[in-house]
Amino acid sequence: MTLITDVTSRNAQTEAPLITPLVERWSPRAYDPTAEVDPAVIRTILEAARWAPSANNTQPWRFIVARRGSDAFTTVHDAMAGFNKAWADSAAVLIVNVAEIIDTEGEARPWARYDLGQAVAHLTVQAQHEGLHTHQLGGFDAARLHAEFDLDARFEVVSITAIGVLGDLDTLPDVLREREVAPRLRKPLEELVLAGE
Ligand SMILES: Cc1cc2nc3c(=O)[nH]c(=O)nc-3n(C[C@H](O)[C@H](O)[C@H](O)COP(=O)(O)O)c2cc1C
């Protein structure tokens, strides 16, 4: 069994000082398949999403919360593609992130996906603060989940967030184990600022 014993080895190498959850957040694939997340903690991380800002305070985010062992978890896991299927079954919770892209009057909500992403970002930072790890996924069959959960046409399934506790690297296929310890890279800050100082 191989655990990442020095978790600081995954910390962001920042060009300016950041708050601790942002330094420590990263997206693992090796989760402990026995670890549970207290329902109160799940509530707390969803509360973080609830308090995200959104266009005109429309709050166009919805979530399907699937705990490992539930039918919903199996449904979400079954919709995953390729390598995601190989690791995400060990997460304690899978949250399907859904955007309300059309309001109840039939009007488009052009900022819905942006707002959802921001709510998920808040959720991941709160989860990190709670001692959990998160890994967002785009590699899955969104249309399948839309149908399986019988969602209204106004909703779009956008992404999934896997949440859990760090686990054994040796449970991963070789290619994923290599990615799990590969250096974490980012573009330099200078490249991101298009104008101004
Ligand atoms: C919208 C979105 C989709 C993603 N899709 C996948 C995915 O399908 N599979 C996967 O292993 N990681 C996925 N990721 C995770 C990214 O690869 C990861 O966040 C990125 O490599 C940066 O690594 P870090 O989160 O550890 O800093 C996704 C992340 C986001 C935000």
Side-chain angles (χ1 to χ4, degrees):
M1 170 154 164
T2 310
L3 290 168
I4 295 181
T5 45
D6 177 15
V7 284
T8 62
S9 66
R10 305 308 293 153
N11 282 6
Q13 302 300 309
T14 66
E15 296 181 19
L18 299 185
I19 58 171
T20 304
L22 289 179
V23 173
E24 294 181 346
R25 188 214 60 80
W26 64 290
S27 301
R29 298 168 188 82
Y31 287 100
D32 178 346
T34 65
E36 305 273 341
V37 178
D38 186 332
V41 173
I42 296 176
R43 190 174 172 82
T44 290
I45 64 176
L46 290 169
E47 183 70 356
R50 186 166 82 99
W51 281 98
S54 60
N56 211 22
N57 200 21
T58 44
Q59 307 162 61
W61 42 68
R62 301 292 185 275
F63 304 101
I64 295 165
V65 180
R67 297 171 67 86
R68 191 181 53 244
S70 67
D71 290 347
F73 188 100
T74 303
T75 301
V76 177
H77 182 250
D78 284 352
M80 288 183 186
F83 280 125
N84 290 336
K85 226 176 200 160
W87 62 263
D89 55 340
S90 294
V93 185
L94 298 172
I95 297 185
V96 182
N97 305 313
V98 178
E100 184 195 38
I101 56 170
I102 298 169
D103 70 16
T104 50
E105 311 297 315
E107 295 296 320
R109 287 203 192 286
W111 298 100
R113 296 176 193 84
Y114 180 96
D115 292 338
L116 172 69
Q118 185 150 226
V120 173
H122 281 216
L123 180 155
T124 63
V125 174
Q126 187 70 40
Q128 191 70 39
H129 177 75
E130 303 296 333
L132 298 168
H133 282 82
T134 57
H135 193 141
Q136 297 175 57
L137 308 176
F140 66 97
D141 186 339
R144 176 171 165 170
L145 289 186
H146 196 283
E148 294 266 17
F149 288 102
D150 197 21
L151 300 181
D152 194 277
R154 299 190 302 107
F155 294 117
E156 181 179 295
V157 176
V158 176
S159 60
I160 297 170
T161 311
I163 304 173
V165 173
L166 286 183
D168 184 0
L169 291 180
D170 294 339
T171 60
L172 296 175
D174 288 350
V175 62
L176 294 186
R177 196 164 54 244
E178 282 162 25
R179 280 186 216 166
E180 199 77 342
V181 292
R184 298 185 55 227
L185 303 173
R186 288 299 191 270
K187 295 181 169 80
L189 205 45
E190 286 68 29
E191 197 179 323
L192 308 183
V193 180
L194 298 179
E197 294 178 23

PDB file of all heavy atoms in Angstrom, residues 98-130:
ATOM      1  N   VAL A  98     -25.375  20.602 -11.993  1.00  0.00           N
ATOM      2  CA  VAL A  98     -26.413  20.856 -13.001  1.00  0.00           C
ATOM      3  C   VAL A  98     -26.668  22.359 -13.097  1.00  0.00           C
ATOM      4  O   VAL A  98     -26.799  23.043 -12.066  1.00  0.00           O
ATOM      5  CB  VAL A  98     -27.723  20.130 -12.581  1.00  0.00           C
ATOM      6  CG1 VAL A  98     -28.834  20.405 -13.573  1.00  0.00           C
ATOM      7  CG2 VAL A  98     -27.484  18.633 -12.422  1.00  0.00           C
ATOM      8  N   ALA A  99     -26.732  22.877 -14.315  1.00  0.00           N
ATOM      9  CA  ALA A  99     -27.023  24.304 -14.526  1.00  0.00           C
ATOM     10  C   ALA A  99     -28.464  24.478 -14.997  1.00  0.00           C
ATOM     11  O   ALA A  99     -28.944  23.733 -15.865  1.00  0.00           O
ATOM     12  CB  ALA A  99     -26.065  24.877 -15.567  1.00  0.00           C
ATOM     13  N   GLU A 100     -29.119  25.477 -14.422  1.00  0.00           N
ATOM     14  CA  GLU A 100     -30.465  25.831 -14.885  1.00  0.00           C
ATOM     15  C   GLU A 100     -30.269  26.830 -16.027  1.00  0.00           C
ATOM     16  O   GLU A 100     -30.136  28.033 -15.808  1.00  0.00           O
ATOM     17  CB  GLU A 100     -31.264  26.460 -13.740  1.00  0.00           C
ATOM     18  CG  GLU A 100     -32.691  26.778 -14.095  1.00  0.00           C
ATOM     19  CD  GLU A 100     -33.340  27.731 -13.079  1.00  0.00           C
ATOM     20  OE1 GLU A 100     -32.659  28.644 -12.590  1.00  0.00           O
ATOM     21  OE2 GLU A 100     -34.532  27.555 -12.807  1.00  0.00           O
ATOM     22  N   ILE A 101     -30.225  26.324 -17.253  1.00  0.00           N
ATOM     23  CA  ILE A 101     -29.858  27.186 -18.380  1.00  0.00           C
ATOM     24  C   ILE A 101     -31.049  27.951 -18.957  1.00  0.00           C
ATOM     25  O   ILE A 101     -30.879  28.898 -19.721  1.00  0.00           O
ATOM     26  CB  ILE A 101     -29.139  26.382 -19.503  1.00  0.00           C
ATOM     27  CG1 ILE A 101     -30.002  25.215 -19.977  1.00  0.00           C
ATOM     28  CG2 ILE A 101     -27.776  25.910 -19.032  1.00  0.00           C
ATOM     29  CD1 ILE A 101     -29.463  24.550 -21.230  1.00  0.00           C
ATOM     30  N   ILE A 102     -32.266  27.539 -18.561  1.00  0.00           N
ATOM     31  CA  ILE A 102     -33.496  28.241 -18.984  1.00  0.00           C
ATOM     32  C   ILE A 102     -34.362  28.441 -17.743  1.00  0.00           C
ATOM     33  O   ILE A 102     -34.529  27.500 -16.943  1.00  0.00           O
ATOM     34  CB  ILE A 102     -34.254  27.415 -20.047  1.00  0.00           C
ATOM     35  CG1 ILE A 102     -33.378  27.239 -21.291  1.00  0.00           C
ATOM     36  CG2 ILE A 102     -35.589  28.054 -20.415  1.00  0.00           C
ATOM     37  CD1 ILE A 102     -33.898  26.245 -22.300  1.00  0.00           C
ATOM     38  N   ASP A 103     -34.872  29.653 -17.551  1.00  0.00           N
ATOM     39  CA  ASP A 103     -35.658  29.892 -16.330  1.00  0.00           C
ATOM     40  C   ASP A 103     -37.095  29.384 -16.495  1.00  0.00           C
ATOM     41  O   ASP A 103     -37.473  28.879 -17.563  1.00  0.00           O
ATOM     42  CB  ASP A 103     -35.589  31.373 -15.912  1.00  0.00           C
ATOM     43  CG  ASP A 103     -36.341  32.296 -16.864  1.00  0.00           C
ATOM     44  OD1 ASP A 103     -37.173  31.812 -17.671  1.00  0.00           O
ATOM     45  OD2 ASP A 103     -36.100  33.514 -16.802  1.00  0.00           O
ATOM     46  N   THR A 104     -37.896  29.541 -15.455  1.00  0.00           N
ATOM     47  CA  THR A 104     -39.252  28.981 -15.482  1.00  0.00           C
ATOM     48  C   THR A 104     -40.161  29.688 -16.486  1.00  0.00           C
ATOM     49  O   THR A 104     -41.229  29.183 -16.840  1.00  0.00           O
ATOM     50  CB  THR A 104     -39.892  29.051 -14.072  1.00  0.00           C
ATOM     51  OG1 THR A 104     -39.724  30.382 -13.574  1.00  0.00           O
ATOM     52  CG2 THR A 104     -39.250  28.071 -13.123  1.00  0.00           C
ATOM     53  N   GLU A 105     -39.741  30.899 -16.930  1.00  0.00           N
ATOM     54  CA  GLU A 105     -40.514  31.639 -17.948  1.00  0.00           C
ATOM     55  C   GLU A 105     -40.071  31.266 -19.365  1.00  0.00           C
ATOM     56  O   GLU A 105     -40.571  31.833 -20.340  1.00  0.00           O
ATOM     57  CB  GLU A 105     -40.322  33.157 -17.772  1.00  0.00           C
ATOM     58  CG  GLU A 105     -40.516  33.671 -16.354  1.00  0.00           C
ATOM     59  CD  GLU A 105     -41.932  33.446 -15.867  1.00  0.00           C
ATOM     60  OE1 GLU A 105     -42.865  33.716 -16.636  1.00  0.00           O
ATOM     61  OE2 GLU A 105     -42.084  32.980 -14.725  1.00  0.00           O
ATOM     62  N   GLY A 106     -39.079  30.399 -19.484  1.00  0.00           N
ATOM     63  CA  GLY A 106     -38.590  29.998 -20.805  1.00  0.00           C
ATOM     64  C   GLY A 106     -37.466  30.871 -21.335  1.00  0.00           C
ATOM     65  O   GLY A 106     -37.034  30.716 -22.479  1.00  0.00           O
ATOM     66  N   GLU A 107     -36.982  31.793 -20.495  1.00  0.00           N
ATOM     67  CA  GLU A 107     -35.882  32.680 -20.914  1.00  0.00           C
ATOM     68  C   GLU A 107     -34.533  32.034 -20.632  1.00  0.00           C
ATOM     69  O   GLU A 107     -34.358  31.389 -19.593  1.00  0.00           O
ATOM     70  CB  GLU A 107     -35.956  34.013 -20.148  1.00  0.00           C
ATOM     71  CG  GLU A 107     -37.180  34.844 -20.446  1.00  0.00           C
ATOM     72  CD  GLU A 107     -37.226  35.321 -21.899  1.00  0.00           C
ATOM     73  OE1 GLU A 107     -36.168  35.697 -22.435  1.00  0.00           O
ATOM     74  OE2 GLU A 107     -38.318  35.282 -22.485  1.00  0.00           O
ATOM     75  N   ALA A 108     -33.599  32.254 -21.561  1.00  0.00           N
ATOM     76  CA  ALA A 108     -32.257  31.688 -21.379  1.00  0.00           C
ATOM     77  C   ALA A 108     -31.549  32.351 -20.204  1.00  0.00           C
ATOM     78  O   ALA A 108     -31.745  33.549 -19.950  1.00  0.00           O
ATOM     79  CB  ALA A 108     -31.436  31.888 -22.657  1.00  0.00           C
ATOM     80  N   ARG A 109     -30.760  31.579 -19.502  1.00  0.00           N
ATOM     81  CA  ARG A 109     -29.888  32.114 -18.452  1.00  0.00           C
ATOM     82  C   ARG A 109     -28.452  32.019 -18.977  1.00  0.00           C
ATOM     83  O   ARG A 109     -27.786  30.986 -18.785  1.00  0.00           O
ATOM     84  CB  ARG A 109     -29.998  31.277 -17.181  1.00  0.00           C
ATOM     85  CG  ARG A 109     -31.275  31.429 -16.389  1.00  0.00           C
ATOM     86  CD  ARG A 109     -31.000  31.030 -14.948  1.00  0.00           C
ATOM     87  NE  ARG A 109     -32.176  30.867 -14.130  1.00  0.00           N
ATOM     88  CZ  ARG A 109     -32.916  31.866 -13.673  1.00  0.00           C
ATOM     89  NH1 ARG A 109     -32.643  33.101 -14.024  1.00  0.00           N
ATOM     90  NH2 ARG A 109     -33.949  31.616 -12.888  1.00  0.00           N
ATOM     91  N   PRO A 110     -27.967  33.094 -19.624  1.00  0.00           N
ATOM     92  CA  PRO A 110     -26.662  32.995 -20.298  1.00  0.00           C
ATOM     93  C   PRO A 110     -25.480  32.793 -19.353  1.00  0.00           C
ATOM     94  O   PRO A 110     -24.436  32.319 -19.787  1.00  0.00           O
ATOM     95  CB  PRO A 110     -26.550  34.333 -21.042  1.00  0.00           C
ATOM     96  CG  PRO A 110     -27.545  35.241 -20.399  1.00  0.00           C
ATOM     97  CD  PRO A 110     -28.617  34.382 -19.836  1.00  0.00           C
ATOM     98  N   TRP A 111     -25.646  33.119 -18.083  1.00  0.00           N
ATOM     99  CA  TRP A 111     -24.523  32.989 -17.145  1.00  0.00           C
ATOM    100  C   TRP A 111     -24.594  31.703 -16.326  1.00  0.00           C
ATOM    101  O   TRP A 111     -23.819  31.522 -15.395  1.00  0.00           O
ATOM    102  CB  TRP A 111     -24.493  34.198 -16.188  1.00  0.00           C
ATOM    103  CG  TRP A 111     -24.284  35.492 -16.896  1.00  0.00           C
ATOM    104  CD1 TRP A 111     -25.232  36.410 -17.227  1.00  0.00           C
ATOM    105  CD2 TRP A 111     -23.043  36.017 -17.383  1.00  0.00           C
ATOM    106  NE1 TRP A 111     -24.663  37.462 -17.886  1.00  0.00           N
ATOM    107  CE2 TRP A 111     -23.325  37.237 -17.989  1.00  0.00           C
ATOM    108  CE3 TRP A 111     -21.733  35.547 -17.362  1.00  0.00           C
ATOM    109  CZ2 TRP A 111     -22.340  38.020 -18.581  1.00  0.00           C
ATOM    110  CZ3 TRP A 111     -20.741  36.314 -17.946  1.00  0.00           C
ATOM    111  CH2 TRP A 111     -21.055  37.532 -18.550  1.00  0.00           C
ATOM    112  N   ALA A 112     -25.547  30.841 -16.646  1.00  0.00           N
ATOM    113  CA  ALA A 112     -25.810  29.694 -15.765  1.00  0.00           C
ATOM    114  C   ALA A 112     -24.587  28.796 -15.575  1.00  0.00           C
ATOM    115  O   ALA A 112     -24.263  28.403 -14.455  1.00  0.00           O
ATOM    116  CB  ALA A 112     -26.979  28.880 -16.297  1.00  0.00           C
ATOM    117  N   ARG A 113     -23.884  28.493 -16.653  1.00  0.00           N
ATOM    118  CA  ARG A 113     -22.740  27.571 -16.522  1.00  0.00           C
ATOM    119  C   ARG A 113     -21.601  28.257 -15.765  1.00  0.00           C
ATOM    120  O   ARG A 113     -20.890  27.619 -14.992  1.00  0.00           O
ATOM    121  CB  ARG A 113     -22.270  27.100 -17.894  1.00  0.00           C
ATOM    122  CG  ARG A 113     -23.311  26.273 -18.629  1.00  0.00           C
ATOM    123  CD  ARG A 113     -22.832  25.902 -20.022  1.00  0.00           C
ATOM    124  NE  ARG A 113     -23.917  25.386 -20.847  1.00  0.00           N
ATOM    125  CZ  ARG A 113     -24.768  26.145 -21.531  1.00  0.00           C
ATOM    126  NH1 ARG A 113     -24.670  27.472 -21.489  1.00  0.00           N
ATOM    127  NH2 ARG A 113     -25.720  25.596 -22.257  1.00  0.00           N
ATOM    128  N   TYR A 114     -21.440  29.547 -16.021  1.00  0.00           N
ATOM    129  CA  TYR A 114     -20.428  30.333 -15.307  1.00  0.00           C
ATOM    130  C   TYR A 114     -20.740  30.322 -13.806  1.00  0.00           C
ATOM    131  O   TYR A 114     -19.870  30.057 -12.968  1.00  0.00           O
ATOM    132  CB  TYR A 114     -20.445  31.759 -15.860  1.00  0.00           C
ATOM    133  CG  TYR A 114     -19.461  32.720 -15.245  1.00  0.00           C
ATOM    134  CD1 TYR A 114     -18.230  32.955 -15.851  1.00  0.00           C
ATOM    135  CD2 TYR A 114     -19.779  33.427 -14.089  1.00  0.00           C
ATOM    136  CE1 TYR A 114     -17.326  33.846 -15.299  1.00  0.00           C
ATOM    137  CE2 TYR A 114     -18.886  34.310 -13.531  1.00  0.00           C
ATOM    138  CZ  TYR A 114     -17.661  34.533 -14.142  1.00  0.00           C
ATOM    139  OH  TYR A 114     -16.773  35.414 -13.586  1.00  0.00           O
ATOM    140  N   ASP A 115     -21.988  30.598 -13.480  1.00  0.00           N
ATOM    141  CA  ASP A 115     -22.391  30.642 -12.073  1.00  0.00           C
ATOM    142  C   ASP A 115     -22.241  29.275 -11.408  1.00  0.00           C
ATOM    143  O   ASP A 115     -21.793  29.171 -10.255  1.00  0.00           O
ATOM    144  CB  ASP A 115     -23.850  31.116 -11.948  1.00  0.00           C
ATOM    145  CG  ASP A 115     -24.032  32.578 -12.341  1.00  0.00           C
ATOM    146  OD1 ASP A 115     -23.042  33.330 -12.316  1.00  0.00           O
ATOM    147  OD2 ASP A 115     -25.168  32.951 -12.691  1.00  0.00           O
ATOM    148  N   LEU A 116     -22.623  28.227 -12.126  1.00  0.00           N
ATOM    149  CA  LEU A 116     -22.475  26.872 -11.575  1.00  0.00           C
ATOM    150  C   LEU A 116     -20.998  26.594 -11.272  1.00  0.00           C
ATOM    151  O   LEU A 116     -20.659  26.077 -10.208  1.00  0.00           O
ATOM    152  CB  LEU A 116     -23.017  25.835 -12.562  1.00  0.00           C
ATOM    153  CG  LEU A 116     -22.740  24.376 -12.181  1.00  0.00           C
ATOM    154  CD1 LEU A 116     -23.538  23.967 -10.947  1.00  0.00           C
ATOM    155  CD2 LEU A 116     -23.056  23.436 -13.355  1.00  0.00           C
ATOM    156  N   GLY A 117     -20.133  26.960 -12.225  1.00  0.00           N
ATOM    157  CA  GLY A 117     -18.695  26.722 -12.016  1.00  0.00           C
ATOM    158  C   GLY A 117     -18.188  27.440 -10.784  1.00  0.00           C
ATOM    159  O   GLY A 117     -17.367  26.908 -10.022  1.00  0.00           O
ATOM    160  N   GLN A 118     -18.696  28.628 -10.580  1.00  0.00           N
ATOM    161  CA  GLN A 118     -18.264  29.398  -9.413  1.00  0.00           C
ATOM    162  C   GLN A 118     -18.772  28.753  -8.115  1.00  0.00           C
ATOM    163  O   GLN A 118     -18.039  28.688  -7.107  1.00  0.00           O
ATOM    164  CB  GLN A 118     -18.773  30.828  -9.526  1.00  0.00           C
ATOM    165  CG  GLN A 118     -18.271  31.725  -8.439  1.00  0.00           C
ATOM    166  CD  GLN A 118     -18.151  33.157  -8.895  1.00  0.00           C
ATOM    167  OE1 GLN A 118     -17.142  33.796  -8.624  1.00  0.00           O
ATOM    168  NE2 GLN A 118     -19.150  33.657  -9.593  1.00  0.00           N
ATOM    169  N   ALA A 119     -19.991  28.246  -8.155  1.00  0.00           N
ATOM    170  CA  ALA A 119     -20.525  27.557  -6.972  1.00  0.00           C
ATOM    171  C   ALA A 119     -19.706  26.297  -6.681  1.00  0.00           C
ATOM    172  O   ALA A 119     -19.399  25.995  -5.527  1.00  0.00           O
ATOM    173  CB  ALA A 119     -22.004  27.203  -7.191  1.00  0.00           C
ATOM    174  N   VAL A 120     -19.343  25.579  -7.727  1.00  0.00           N
ATOM    175  CA  VAL A 120     -18.534  24.367  -7.528  1.00  0.00           C
ATOM    176  C   VAL A 120     -17.149  24.738  -6.989  1.00  0.00           C
ATOM    177  O   VAL A 120     -16.608  24.048  -6.120  1.00  0.00           O
ATOM    178  CB  VAL A 120     -18.426  23.562  -8.848  1.00  0.00           C
ATOM    179  CG1 VAL A 120     -17.445  22.402  -8.691  1.00  0.00           C
ATOM    180  CG2 VAL A 120     -19.797  23.045  -9.271  1.00  0.00           C
ATOM    181  N   ALA A 121     -16.607  25.847  -7.462  1.00  0.00           N
ATOM    182  CA  ALA A 121     -15.300  26.287  -6.942  1.00  0.00           C
ATOM    183  C   ALA A 121     -15.402  26.550  -5.438  1.00  0.00           C
ATOM    184  O   ALA A 121     -14.535  26.126  -4.660  1.00  0.00           O
ATOM    185  CB  ALA A 121     -14.828  27.532  -7.678  1.00  0.00           C
ATOM    186  N   HIS A 122     -16.475  27.216  -5.024  1.00  0.00           N
ATOM    187  CA  HIS A 122     -16.658  27.468  -3.594  1.00  0.00           C
ATOM    188  C   HIS A 122     -16.744  26.145  -2.827  1.00  0.00           C
ATOM    189  O   HIS A 122     -16.146  25.983  -1.757  1.00  0.00           O
ATOM    190  CB  HIS A 122     -17.935  28.278  -3.354  1.00  0.00           C
ATOM    191  CG  HIS A 122     -17.760  29.742  -3.629  1.00  0.00           C
ATOM    192  ND1 HIS A 122     -18.380  30.712  -2.885  1.00  0.00           N
ATOM    193  CD2 HIS A 122     -17.034  30.388  -4.556  1.00  0.00           C
ATOM    194  CE1 HIS A 122     -18.035  31.899  -3.347  1.00  0.00           C
ATOM    195  NE2 HIS A 122     -17.225  31.730  -4.363  1.00  0.00           N
ATOM    196  N   LEU A 123     -17.502  25.230  -3.394  1.00  0.00           N
ATOM    197  CA  LEU A 123     -17.672  23.910  -2.759  1.00  0.00           C
ATOM    198  C   LEU A 123     -16.330  23.204  -2.588  1.00  0.00           C
ATOM    199  O   LEU A 123     -16.042  22.633  -1.529  1.00  0.00           O
ATOM    200  CB  LEU A 123     -18.629  23.107  -3.646  1.00  0.00           C
ATOM    201  CG  LEU A 123     -19.032  21.693  -3.300  1.00  0.00           C
ATOM    202  CD1 LEU A 123     -20.386  21.389  -3.944  1.00  0.00           C
ATOM    203  CD2 LEU A 123     -18.017  20.677  -3.758  1.00  0.00           C
ATOM    204  N   THR A 124     -15.490  23.268  -3.613  1.00  0.00           N
ATOM    205  CA  THR A 124     -14.209  22.550  -3.527  1.00  0.00           C
ATOM    206  C   THR A 124     -13.300  23.162  -2.466  1.00  0.00           C
ATOM    207  O   THR A 124     -12.604  22.442  -1.749  1.00  0.00           O
ATOM    208  CB  THR A 124     -13.454  22.529  -4.877  1.00  0.00           C
ATOM    209  OG1 THR A 124     -13.124  23.855  -5.271  1.00  0.00           O
ATOM    210  CG2 THR A 124     -14.256  21.870  -5.965  1.00  0.00           C
ATOM    211  N   VAL A 125     -13.324  24.480  -2.351  1.00  0.00           N
ATOM    212  CA  VAL A 125     -12.471  25.135  -1.354  1.00  0.00           C
ATOM    213  C   VAL A 125     -12.960  24.796   0.054  1.00  0.00           C
ATOM    214  O   VAL A 125     -12.172  24.496   0.955  1.00  0.00           O
ATOM    215  CB  VAL A 125     -12.425  26.661  -1.592  1.00  0.00           C
ATOM    216  CG1 VAL A 125     -11.671  27.364  -0.475  1.00  0.00           C
ATOM    217  CG2 VAL A 125     -11.769  26.956  -2.936  1.00  0.00           C
ATOM    218  N   GLN A 126     -14.293  24.793   0.243  1.00  0.00           N
ATOM    219  CA  GLN A 126     -14.836  24.434   1.559  1.00  0.00           C
ATOM    220  C   GLN A 126     -14.517  22.970   1.880  1.00  0.00           C
ATOM    221  O   GLN A 126     -14.151  22.641   3.021  1.00  0.00           O
ATOM    222  CB  GLN A 126     -16.353  24.672   1.587  1.00  0.00           C
ATOM    223  CG  GLN A 126     -16.964  24.480   2.964  1.00  0.00           C
ATOM    224  CD  GLN A 126     -16.570  25.573   3.955  1.00  0.00           C
ATOM    225  OE1 GLN A 126     -16.509  26.737   3.591  1.00  0.00           O
ATOM    226  NE2 GLN A 126     -16.288  25.200   5.197  1.00  0.00           N
ATOM    227  N   ALA A 127     -14.640  22.100   0.885  1.00  0.00           N
ATOM    228  CA  ALA A 127     -14.332  20.680   1.105  1.00  0.00           C
ATOM    229  C   ALA A 127     -12.874  20.506   1.529  1.00  0.00           C
ATOM    230  O   ALA A 127     -12.567  19.733   2.445  1.00  0.00           O
ATOM    231  CB  ALA A 127     -14.618  19.879  -0.167  1.00  0.00           C
ATOM    232  N   GLN A 128     -11.998  21.240   0.881  1.00  0.00           N
ATOM    233  CA  GLN A 128     -10.576  21.184   1.236  1.00  0.00           C
ATOM    234  C   GLN A 128     -10.383  21.635   2.684  1.00  0.00           C
ATOM    235  O   GLN A 128      -9.646  21.006   3.454  1.00  0.00           O
ATOM    236  CB  GLN A 128      -9.778  22.082   0.276  1.00  0.00           C
ATOM    237  CG  GLN A 128      -8.284  21.889   0.372  1.00  0.00           C
ATOM    238  CD  GLN A 128      -7.828  20.547  -0.180  1.00  0.00           C
ATOM    239  OE1 GLN A 128      -8.350  20.095  -1.196  1.00  0.00           O
ATOM    240  NE2 GLN A 128      -6.883  19.913   0.475  1.00  0.00           N
ATOM    241  N   HIS A 129     -11.075  22.676   3.046  1.00  0.00           N
ATOM    242  CA  HIS A 129     -11.012  23.184   4.422  1.00  0.00           C
ATOM    243  C   HIS A 129     -11.503  22.130   5.422  1.00  0.00           C
ATOM    244  O   HIS A 129     -11.039  22.082   6.569  1.00  0.00           O
ATOM    245  CB  HIS A 129     -11.857  24.462   4.527  1.00  0.00           C
ATOM    246  CG  HIS A 129     -11.922  25.040   5.897  1.00  0.00           C
ATOM    247  ND1 HIS A 129     -10.872  25.722   6.471  1.00  0.00           N
ATOM    248  CD2 HIS A 129     -12.908  25.027   6.828  1.00  0.00           C
ATOM    249  CE1 HIS A 129     -11.208  26.104   7.689  1.00  0.00           C
ATOM    250  NE2 HIS A 129     -12.440  25.704   7.929  1.00  0.00           N
ATOM    251  N   GLU A 130     -12.435  21.287   4.979  1.00  0.00           N
ATOM    252  CA  GLU A 130     -12.993  20.234   5.858  1.00  0.00           C
ATOM    253  C   GLU A 130     -12.099  18.999   5.900  1.00  0.00           C
ATOM    254  O   GLU A 130     -12.469  17.978   6.490  1.00  0.00           O
ATOM    255  CB  GLU A 130     -14.391  19.815   5.365  1.00  0.00           C
ATOM    256  CG  GLU A 130     -15.413  20.932   5.253  1.00  0.00           C
ATOM    257  CD  GLU A 130     -15.757  21.576   6.590  1.00  0.00           C
ATOM    258  OE1 GLU A 130     -15.643  20.902   7.612  1.00  0.00           O
ATOM    259  OE2 GLU A 130     -16.120  22.775   6.592  1.00  0.00           O
TER     260      GLU A 130
END
